[in-house]
Amino acid sequence: MTICAEVIAIGDEITSGSRLDTNSQWLASQFGDLGVRTLYHSSVGDDFDACVDVFRIAIGRSDYIVMTGGLGPTQDDLTRKAIAAATDRPIEIRQEALDHIQSFFVGREMPDRNRLQAEFPQGSRLIHNPHGTAPGIDLTVERPGRPDCHVFCLPGVPAEMRQMWNAGVAVRMRELLGVQRVVRQHVVKCFGVGESDMESRIADLLDRKQTPQVGITVNRATISLRIFAEGSDEADCQSQIDRVTESLRQRVGEFIFGEGDDFELQDAIIELLDRRRETLCCVEHGFNSLADTWLSACERPDLYRGGLSLSDQRASNRWRSVLGVPQNGSPEQWTAEVMERFDADWALAIDGYPTIVPGEGKTNPSSDIRLVVTGRKLATPRSITFHMGGHPDVLPPRIGKAGLNFLRQVLLAN
């Protein structure tokens, strides 16, 4: 039977959307490092009955549970009483916890409300919190005919939670797990193909019964193929990842631009320029231009010399005068002049981003796009023209990425 984990975030600030739940993301990755796959993420507000319900469901379906939040001294901190109710256990004051809490109030009287933080479900263990007044809870719940469920309750404060995980929960889990399985993830990044087309090309690899498993997600036209490998050790997982990655390269290699969660198209461009010891500049026309912003964020001025963002016709006219480009100058002329002025080896032109005016109800703008790449090693510029439309939040990034991907293809071919 596969061991699975669940992460529960508690608090109205999470369910209302006023705060981003980064704790659950971090905890899921920690479970993975221990060889335990997280199958469920739950969020619940500061409501006693809702907390009890969520806790009971989690205990029924998951082997390891970590809850964050709800361990403070106020009326809306319900974790202790709710987990006690969910497991039919009485609450008791733990003197060890009370002594620890009182140590934070040297020279002043401890508010009576803080006594709540020393309350524990009967039979639970204390998880030491060296930096706060909220001790954690370690509770084992028996499940007839099934392995025990292990529940860990930690504070919602990220720094306290992480320290208590590393020093307490992770150590305890290694003891409980005995023979450790290793779970690793690897991401292959793609651009230039639609999600449905990608799925049809690798349909057998996406079968949930396959080992390792492959998942597909899309974010602003970038496709991430996420490989989940589970094995006896690091080498076993890496062997699985290498096998699937090679299969992906054989099938969809023309769309793969890199690997890793944080690797983006601009990183692929910088890598290529670094390998070739060449430099780049760019010019973009239209509102919401992004390529220059992304490339500048790579912080490699030795490779990316900078660019021009021509947001409107007046800006274009001013720079035409500076560069000596005719009023009806083509993108090819723009790239050639900009490349010379920036003393770069390559220049990319993106013409152009659509005008998106907030509040005008233009929900599906479109634009005729022309991409041009000029290089000192090219006899003639390379160019492509196409029409692109979409939601205003998605269209500018798609255009910027299309420009970077076209540049990547030209660099690889020359």
Side-chain angles (χ1 to χ4, degrees):
M1 180 181 295
T2 302
I3 298 173
C4 70
E6 181 161 351
V7 181
I8 303 175
I10 303 164
D12 286 344
E13 70 276 12
I14 301 296
T15 55
S16 67
S18 63
R19 181 174 297 175
L20 181 64
D21 174 25
T22 57
N23 283 347
S24 293
Q25 178 189 31
W26 187 83
L27 286 166
S29 69
Q30 301 307 301
F31 272 126
D33 289 342
L34 292 171
V36 178
R37 185 181 177 191
T38 303
L39 286 184
Y40 306 100
H41 282 240
S42 300
S43 299
V44 60
D46 296 318
D47 179 272
F48 180 78
D49 291 335
C51 287
V52 172
D53 189 40
V54 166
F55 296 169
R56 283 177 175 162
I57 292 171
I59 291 168
R61 68 187 180 186
S62 302
D63 303 295
Y64 291 90
I65 302 167
V66 173
M67 309 169 184
T68 61
L71 293 178
T74 63
Q75 291 283 359
D76 60 357
D77 289 306
L78 304 169
T79 297
R80 303 173 198 83
K81 286 184 170 59
I83 194 64
T87 57
D88 299 317
R89 295 166 184 255
I91 285 282
E92 59 185 17
I93 290 287
R94 197 68 56 82
Q95 188 62 46
E96 177 187 0
L98 186 59
D99 292 343
H100 171 74
I101 296 166
Q102 288 176 327
S103 70
F104 283 84
F105 296 90
V106 176
R108 59 192 176 103
E109 185 177 355
M110 183 186 78
D112 192 57
R113 293 293 306 171
N114 285 90
R115 290 180 60 85
L116 292 176
Q117 295 180 291
E119 293 182 349
F120 280 72
Q122 191 175 75
S124 60
R125 300 166 52 161
L126 182 149
I127 303 174
H128 183 56
N129 181 358
H131 303 299
T133 62
I137 301 169
D138 175 353
L139 178 64
T140 299
V141 182
E142 295 182 356
R143 301 184 296 185
R146 300 171 57 195
D148 294 342
C149 174
H150 300 279
V151 180
F152 304 97
C153 304
L154 301 175
V157 179
E160 294 180 23
M161 180 273 295
R162 294 188 182 197
Q163 198 280 334
M164 292 167 70
W165 168 275
N166 290 326
V169 179
V171 175
R172 171 89 164 122
M173 282 195 60
R174 290 190 184 97
E175 295 174 356
L176 293 167
L177 289 168
V179 177
Q180 182 178 334
R181 297 287 289 172
V182 176
V183 177
R184 289 293 177 266
Q185 298 183 36
H186 185 69
V187 177
V188 177
K189 292 288 192 71
C190 306
F191 184 85
V193 61
E195 183 179 9
S196 57
D197 189 12
M198 173 65 76
E199 186 174 19
S200 68
R201 292 169 182 248
I202 61 170
D204 58 313
L205 296 179
L206 298 174
D207 187 338
R208 303 305 291 175
K209 297 179 181 178
Q210 291 288 328
T211 301
Q213 293 185 353
V214 180
I216 180 171
T217 58
V218 182
N219 181 24
R220 296 187 173 185
T222 295
I223 290 180
S224 296
L225 302 174
R226 192 174 301 273
I227 306 168
F228 298 88
E230 180 179 354
S232 57
D233 53 32
E234 294 276 357
D236 186 9
C237 289
Q238 191 60 52
S239 176
Q240 296 177 46
I241 289 170
D242 290 344
R243 172 170 53 82
V244 174
T245 301
E246 179 57 30
S247 179
L248 290 173
R249 291 197 174 280
Q250 292 175 4
R251 302 187 197 193
V252 294
E254 68 269 34
F255 305 114
I256 296 174
F257 65 82
E259 300 177 29
D261 249 331
D262 299 326
F263 195 85
E264 302 295 346
L265 273 162
Q266 60 268 24
D267 300 306
I269 296 299
I270 293 298
E271 277 194 2
L272 283 171
L273 293 172
D274 195 22
R275 193 181 310 154
R276 300 163 65 108
R277 298 183 178 180
E278 294 174 338
T279 56
L280 169 70
C281 63
C282 73
V283 56
E284 300 169 275
H285 190 271
F287 288 88
N288 304 305
S289 54
L290 292 169
D292 173 66
T293 301
W294 292 335
L295 288 164
S296 297
C298 293
E299 297 182 349
R300 288 296 304 271
D302 56 322
L303 301 175
Y304 181 61
R305 296 288 174 81
L308 300 178
S309 294
L310 308 175
S311 59
D312 55 26
Q313 193 61 45
R314 288 178 299 176
S316 297
N317 290 338
R318 285 196 300 270
W319 278 101
R320 281 191 175 96
S321 176
V322 171
L323 297 174
V325 177
Q327 287 293 317
N328 60 348
S330 66
E332 284 83 356
Q333 290 174 298
W334 274 105
T335 51
E337 290 298 330
V338 170
M339 185 176 68
E340 291 300 323
R341 292 301 180 107
F342 279 88
D343 190 25
D345 298 298
W346 296 91
L348 165 68
I350 302 177
D351 183 27
Y353 295 84
T355 300
I356 301 171
V357 181
E360 291 196 354
K362 194 173 185 180
T363 56
N364 290 294
S366 61
S367 184
D368 291 317
I369 313 300
R370 183 168 177 79
L371 306 175
V372 178
V373 173
T374 298
R376 297 188 186 280
K377 296 181 180 179
L378 293 179
T380 58
R382 303 290 187 264
S383 65
I384 184 173
T385 302
F386 55 92
H387 187 81
M388 185 178 289
H391 190 278
D393 288 341
V394 176
L395 185 55
R398 286 182 62 198
I399 294 172
K401 290 178 182 181
L404 294 179
N405 194 55
F406 182 60
L407 171 62
R408 183 180 71 89
Q409 293 170 336
V410 174
L411 289 173
L412 289 173
N414 295 275

